[in-house]
């Protein structure tokens, strides 16, 4: 099933591959992403992020990789709350981390 999903394009009329289409979509919505996320989740995004950081802080670690970091909300919160940990965030969309 996984390989079949990779062939699905969000916009079938576009000649670009799925990754390029997804990257462009997130680049476009990046400026309002945090606001939209907060509104659509009714603020629950803040709760799960706080809980995740609390769990990570208890277990420690010297390095954390935040894949699909988006605007970096989680990575930034980890950096503020978990001392002595190197946090790296990466994302497909340059607009999200820019």
């Amino acid at each position: 099933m996984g390989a079949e999903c990779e062939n699905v394009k969000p916009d079938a009329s576009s000649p670009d591959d799925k990754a390029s289409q997804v990257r462009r979509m997130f680049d476009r919505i990046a400026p309002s992403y945090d606001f939209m996320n907060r509104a659509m989740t009714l603020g629950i995004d803040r709760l799960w992020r706080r809980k995740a950081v609390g769990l990570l802080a208890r277990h420690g670690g010297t390095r954390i990789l935040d894949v699909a970091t988006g605007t970096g909300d989680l990575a930034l919160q980890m950096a503020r709350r978990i001392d002595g940990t190197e946090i790296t965030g990466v994302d497909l969309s340059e607009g999200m981390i820019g």
Side-chain angles (χ1 to χ4, degrees):
M1 177 176 217
E4 295 167 2
C5 290
E6 290 307 311
N7 293 327
V8 174
K9 294 181 180 181
D11 179 0
S13 66
S14 173
D16 294 334
D17 64 5
K18 181 178 178 179
S20 296
Q21 290 182 27
V22 170
R23 181 183 309 114
R24 273 197 321 278
M25 177 193 69
F26 277 102
D27 283 345
R28 279 193 306 272
I29 66 170
S32 57
Y33 180 82
D34 287 331
F35 173 79
M36 289 186 332
N37 189 30
R38 202 123 309 122
M40 288 188 304
T41 66
L42 303 174
I44 293 173
D45 64 304
R46 289 180 176 170
L47 297 175
W48 73 255
R49 204 168 11 266
R50 192 175 313 128
K51 183 172 180 115
V53 171
L55 288 169
L56 287 166
R58 278 196 294 265
H59 294 288
T62 56
R63 294 188 302 193
I64 296 173
L65 175 61
D66 181 9
V67 178
T69 194
T71 59
D73 276 1
L74 179 60
L76 292 169
Q77 196 166 349
M78 286 187 288
R80 285 191 291 268
R81 291 208 30 220
I82 307 171
D83 292 330
T85 301
E86 176 187 323
I87 294 142
T88 303
V90 295
D91 200 280
L92 180 66
S93 167
E94 199 173 314
M96 291 294 274
I97 58 177

